[in-house]
Amino acid sequence: MAVSTSFSGAKLEALFLKCCSSSSANAAYSLCVPSKTAAKATRTTPFRRGLVRCDASASPDVILDNAAALSALQQLKTSAADRYTKEKSSIVVIGLSVHTTPVEMREKLAIPEAEWPRAIGELCGLNHIEEAAVLSTCNRMEIYVVALSQHRGVKEVTEWMSRTSGIPVSELCQHRFLLYNKDATQHLFEVSAGLDSLVLGEGQILAQVKQVVKVGQGVNGFGRNISGLFKHAITVGKRVRAETNIAAGAVSVSSAAVELALMKLPETSHGNAKMLVIGAGKMGKLVIKHLVAKGCTKMVVVNRSEERVAEIREEIKDVEIIYKPLSEMLACVGEADVVFTGTASENPLFLKDDVKDLPSVSQDIGGHRLFIDISVPRNVGSCVSDIECVRVYNVDDLKEVVAANKEDRLRKAMEAQAIIGEESQQFEAWRDSLETVPTIKKLRAYAERIRAAELEKCLGKMGDDISKKTRRAVDDLSRGIVNKLLHGPMQHLRCDGSDSRTLTETLENMHALNRMFSLETEISVLEQKIRAKVEQNHSEN
């Protein structure tokens, strides 16, 4: 919170402590907190006594210092009271990704797709969060919100993440990244374009961003700003892939997993290694396709039902795909050299005790059974790696696979960044133009109040015996006059790119109309929203 004063923070604090008792200081501090306690603090007499009743025998310098403290604290009080008028709601992303956070933490934070609506509801129930969305994948867990106050919003969301995951706030803060407004917008656009992926240019993330919008439709809290941001991100992702070569030859997480397995196997064993894929969902299907692309002609697939495996068989011809039910999973692992896991299970499928007594892998294959786990939460417990004849790899281990492709993809990313820059400007202009919406609504309401009052007077003078047709004609006349008078001002409050008017001009028009028609309110829109949320939460508790 910025304090509009010529005093430095240290000077103000010194003057404050010199003049006020500790209880007064607490009361002054509470002015900065938007709560019922703070409102009460502004009315307490100890606060006023602490400022006014200084020692009568004090020296002139002390009295001047006290007067200065009074002035500075009064400004502090004023600033605290109207800070929401100055503070604009912000788009914020609180994120933990493969670049900043180990998989052990990401899997605790992961939220299944079916739980996204519940998470949005809980987030929007926080005092300073108005809209929210969840982007939870194997490589990232990112919460996007519209925060009525940046600092308080981030604090509330971080505490919520701590409660839902069991990870202490202090530990989350070590790994999280925070981005605001334009930076948050650019980040999501880069994510959608595949620029922030572990495998640069991979296409699966765009489908995941689309899924956020699909799941969010109709969910209370997936509001205009956040839905607009994600829909624009989809447009950006499509445009980047259409206008650049970033996706040309790009590998997905699944293909990187296959590459990693082949890197770890002796080259002479590539043709005869026994491959097992657990899970025939999107990830499993991609693993199968990439195995076939690398020359694999036979594999076993374990899945809950045979239906999906049959569909994959229909799509991929001339390859022997053997289906096995979940009940035979462990036996299948005992016969496999390489095990790929890509299921949505929230609990590990394999722990140390499950694997330690399985038959050994032939020395021709390298003597080690490979588990390539591309699931988050992980399907293979970290304890499995303690077994001497087993090697376990997860999504964080894919980095060595994609490092070789990085230089070429970075050149392509530069082209994509130019597109993202253009699209970011367009989105920010759209979002800034939303500032005029409250003024449009207030101006229309103001005009409607006048119209209704004057219409009532007119109809009263005309008597009770006028026909319905006449009443309707007079009503239509009044509406027509108001709409024509409002047409010009309303046009100048819109900034949708249909004319040459700049956003700055539009906002200037908004402020002018607010002044001319006295549309400003004593309590800002943001503060009203926060108070309503606090009162609602108090009543629920």
Side-chain angles (χ1 to χ4, degrees):
M1 177 182 68
V3 179
S4 208
T5 175
S6 58
F7 291 92
S8 67
K11 178 68 172 174
L12 176 59
E13 182 180 5
L15 292 173
F16 179 81
L17 294 174
K18 198 171 189 178
C19 188
C20 303
S21 65
S22 60
S23 61
S24 302
N26 288 334
Y29 173 76
S30 68
L31 286 170
C32 300
V33 183
S35 65
K36 293 179 180 178
T37 305
K40 186 176 179 180
T42 63
R43 298 192 295 271
T44 55
T45 51
F47 178 75
R48 291 195 294 271
R49 274 204 306 272
L51 288 176
V52 177
R53 294 189 181 179
C54 297
D55 186 356
S57 62
S59 68
D61 287 343
V62 171
I63 293 172
L64 284 173
D65 276 353
N66 290 340
L70 175 62
S71 173
L73 286 168
Q74 188 60 42
Q75 292 180 50
L76 174 63
K77 177 180 176 182
T78 303
S79 177
D82 71 355
R83 74 181 170 284
Y84 287 116
T85 306
K86 297 180 175 65
E87 186 173 6
K88 175 185 170 183
S89 63
S90 302
I91 290 179
V92 183
V93 55
I94 301 98
L96 297 102
S97 76
V98 66
H99 306 298
T100 63
T101 313
V103 66
E104 292 84 1
M105 184 180 291
R106 297 201 311 277
E107 65 187 0
K108 292 179 182 177
L109 288 158
I111 300 176
E113 184 181 308
E115 296 294 315
W116 290 356
R118 175 194 58 79
I120 291 171
E122 290 181 5
L123 286 163
C124 292
L126 302 174
N127 287 343
H128 294 83
I129 302 303
E130 190 174 24
E131 301 177 26
V134 175
L135 179 59
S136 182
T137 74
C138 61
N139 283 334
R140 66 188 69 252
M141 165 56 175
E142 297 176 355
I143 303 290
Y144 291 80
V145 297
V146 172
L148 302 175
S149 169
Q150 282 188 5
H151 173 72
R152 291 168 181 79
V154 168
K155 181 175 183 291
E156 289 171 357
V157 173
T158 305
E159 289 171 349
W160 177 85
M161 293 172 79
S162 176
R163 287 194 302 272
T164 57
S165 66
I167 301 172
V169 168
S170 58
E171 193 173 345
L172 286 174
C173 291
Q174 290 175 16
H175 295 277
R176 75 179 182 190
F177 62 86
L178 302 173
L179 296 169
Y180 304 97
N181 297 317
K182 292 180 181 178
D183 291 334
T185 297
Q186 176 152 337
H187 172 73
L188 181 58
F189 290 177
E190 289 174 353
V191 167
S192 186
L195 300 189
D196 192 64
S197 297
L198 180 63
V199 182
L200 196 65
E202 61 103 357
Q204 191 175 4
I205 186 62
L206 180 57
Q208 291 162 334
V209 171
K210 289 179 181 178
Q211 197 63 18
V212 171
V213 175
K214 183 179 178 181
V215 173
Q217 294 301 319
V219 175
N220 189 25
F222 190 71
R224 172 187 274 182
N225 287 275
I226 290 295
S227 66
L229 173 63
F230 273 81
K231 288 174 182 176
H232 206 118
I234 294 170
T235 301
V236 173
K238 289 179 178 177
R239 185 182 166 195
V240 166
R241 287 170 173 81
E243 297 182 22
T244 73
N245 291 320
I246 196 166
V251 289
S252 65
V253 170
S254 299
S255 67
V258 172
E259 291 282 353
L260 179 64
L262 296 178
M263 284 172 58
K264 300 303 179 182
L265 287 172
E267 192 170 344
T268 55
S269 68
H270 287 187
N272 58 352
K274 298 173 185 174
M275 301 293 183
L276 171 63
V277 180
I278 299 177
K282 291 178 182 177
M283 301 287 276
K285 182 178 179 180
L286 287 171
V287 168
I288 294 168
K289 285 185 171 182
H290 290 298
L291 283 171
V292 172
K294 292 296 181 181
C296 180
T297 58
K298 180 180 178 180
M299 67 196 73
V300 176
V301 179
V302 172
N303 196 52
R304 185 176 287 106
S305 67
E306 190 174 3
E307 184 179 355
R308 284 191 174 179
V309 179
E311 290 174 358
I312 295 172
R313 280 200 204 103
E314 285 295 315
E315 187 176 338
I316 304 173
K317 306 292 186 180
D318 303 323
V319 175
E320 187 178 358
I321 300 176
I322 303 167
Y323 164 74
K324 294 290 182 179
L326 286 175
S327 58
E328 298 181 30
M329 180 173 65
L330 202 56
C332 292
V333 172
E335 297 176 1
D337 300 320
V338 182
V339 181
F340 295 92
T341 64
T343 79
S345 173
E346 295 184 38
N347 299 307
L349 300 179
F350 303 104
L351 297 173
K352 186 175 181 179
D353 289 342
D354 302 316
V355 180
K356 64 180 182 180
D357 296 325
L358 292 177
S360 300
V361 171
S362 167
Q363 290 299 322
D364 294 338
I365 306 297
H368 297 101
R369 178 171 286 109
L370 306 182
F371 283 86
I372 314 293
D373 183 5
I374 54 175
S375 301
V376 176
R378 287 172 293 176
N379 290 165
V380 183
S382 56
C383 55
V384 175
S385 60
D386 295 337
I387 302 172
E388 188 176 350
C389 59
V390 170
R391 295 291 181 267
V392 179
Y393 302 94
N394 58 52
V395 289
D396 287 2
D397 297 310
L398 301 180
K399 294 175 183 177
E400 63 176 292
V401 178
V402 300
N405 301 323
K406 201 165 186 178
E407 186 176 342
D408 178 51
R409 298 190 194 289
L410 283 175
R411 285 196 297 271
K412 296 174 182 176
M414 303 238 343
E415 302 172 26
Q417 283 291 358
I419 295 172
I420 288 172
E422 291 176 21
E423 295 289 348
S424 295
Q425 286 182 351
Q426 288 183 24
F427 176 78
E428 290 302 321
W430 170 80
R431 185 166 179 260
D432 286 340
S433 71
L434 296 181
E435 277 194 59
T436 65
V437 172
T439 297
I440 290 172
K441 290 180 178 178
K442 285 187 285 186
L443 183 57
R444 277 206 170 276
Y446 173 77
E448 177 59 22
R449 286 195 300 272
I450 294 174
R451 186 196 72 82
E454 294 304 314
L455 177 63
E456 192 65 30
K457 287 180 187 177
C458 175
L459 294 175
K461 291 176 182 179
M462 295 173 71
D464 297 332
D465 58 344
I466 60 173
S467 66
K468 288 184 179 179
K469 184 177 180 181
T470 303
R471 282 178 176 271
R472 194 181 306 115
V474 175
D475 184 72
D476 290 344
L477 174 66
S478 65
R479 290 182 188 278
I481 292 171
V482 168
N483 288 337
K484 282 182 169 58
L485 287 173
L486 289 180
H487 178 73
M490 291 301 181
Q491 284 295 101
H492 284 77
L493 285 178
R494 292 190 172 91
C495 183
D496 55 10
S498 59
D499 53 35
S500 59
R501 190 180 307 111
T502 66
L503 177 63
T504 301
E505 290 171 333
T506 302
L507 295 179
E508 286 175 355
N509 294 335
M510 178 189 75
H511 294 310
L513 286 168
N514 279 332
R515 289 192 303 272
M516 285 188 286
F517 292 96
S518 301
L519 300 177
E520 297 284 9
T521 55
E522 291 183 5
I523 303 172
S524 71
V525 174
L526 289 179
E527 190 173 4
Q528 288 182 55
K529 289 178 181 177
I530 292 168
R531 286 186 177 179
K533 275 178 166 286
V534 171
E535 289 172 7
Q536 180 182 349
N537 290 340
H538 279 321
S539 64
E540 289 174 355
N541 296 331

